[in-house]
Amino acid sequence: MVRMHTPGKGISKSALPYRRTVPTWLKQSPDEIKEQIYKLAKKGLSPSQIGVILRDSHGIAYVKWVTGNKILRILKSKGLAPSLPEDLYHLIKKAVAIRKHLEKHRKDKDSKFRLILIESRIHRLARYYKRSRVLPPNWKYESSTASALVA
């Protein structure tokens, strides 16, 4: 998603290496890597956390180059993908945390304003996911039931 509610125009990002071949020193087969992904998903890790573990602990820089599919597609084929998309989940989690903060500190006007911005991002992202058929068309974000979605 774009940088919406900040004045910054930052363009820094990571650059992928040009070569898209499997490194010669990688001795694991694509099936072994898929089994590791399934095992980590069954522990309850998100696709990005799985990617970080594979990169840092197992030396697999980019799963798609080795297996031919991205982590989320591998999980979807096995039926282990999360029900909510990861970015939407984290926005909802942030909104729930701010609502909890506002229950204690009712006069915190800045947090109230930030909550409005976060919830507008949630609605925008939900609209995109409904259009691309990731979420069902009757899915609706409600602040009263949001804590149940995150828990």
Side-chain angles (χ1 to χ4, degrees):
M1 210 170 8
V2 297
R3 204 176 302 275
M4 284 183 231
H5 306 303
T6 55
K9 293 184 174 70
I11 58 166
S12 69
K13 54 190 169 200
S14 61
L16 292 174
Y18 180 71
R19 275 188 12 197
R20 292 189 175 96
T21 57
V22 180
T24 55
W25 45 264
L26 188 65
K27 301 298 180 206
Q28 292 174 309
S29 71
D31 294 329
E32 291 173 0
I33 293 171
K34 284 180 182 179
E35 288 302 319
Q36 285 179 331
I37 291 172
Y38 299 147
K39 189 169 65 175
L40 291 169
K42 285 175 185 170
K43 285 184 183 176
L45 297 176
S46 67
S48 62
Q49 290 172 321
I50 292 171
V52 167
I53 289 172
L54 290 176
R55 182 195 67 202
D56 295 344
S57 302
H58 302 286
I60 302 161
Y62 201 57
V63 172
K64 186 178 178 183
W65 294 344
V66 181
T67 61
N69 279 323
K70 296 180 178 181
I71 295 174
L72 188 61
R73 285 191 180 156
I74 292 170
L75 292 177
K76 276 183 183 174
S77 69
K78 195 75 169 179
L80 295 171
S83 58
L84 270 180
E86 202 171 347
D87 48 357
L88 185 63
Y89 171 82
H90 285 294
L91 280 174
I92 292 172
K93 191 174 175 183
K94 193 182 286 191
V96 167
I98 291 177
R99 277 202 185 274
K100 187 177 174 187
H101 168 80
L102 282 172
E103 285 175 9
K104 281 186 193 169
H105 311 283
R106 292 197 182 276
K107 287 194 172 243
D108 191 350
K109 302 289 184 195
D110 186 56
S111 289
K112 190 174 182 181
F113 175 69
R114 299 294 163 201
L115 177 66
I116 292 168
L117 297 182
I118 289 170
E119 287 188 339
S120 69
R121 268 184 274 170
I122 290 171
H123 292 301
R124 176 184 280 207
L125 204 54
R127 197 168 57 230
Y128 163 74
Y129 281 130
K130 284 181 198 174
R131 202 175 342 119
S132 58
R133 295 192 173 117
V134 176
L135 288 175
N138 61 353
W139 190 90
K140 191 166 171 48
Y141 170 77
E142 292 170 358
S143 56
S144 56
T145 60
S147 58
L149 286 172
V150 175

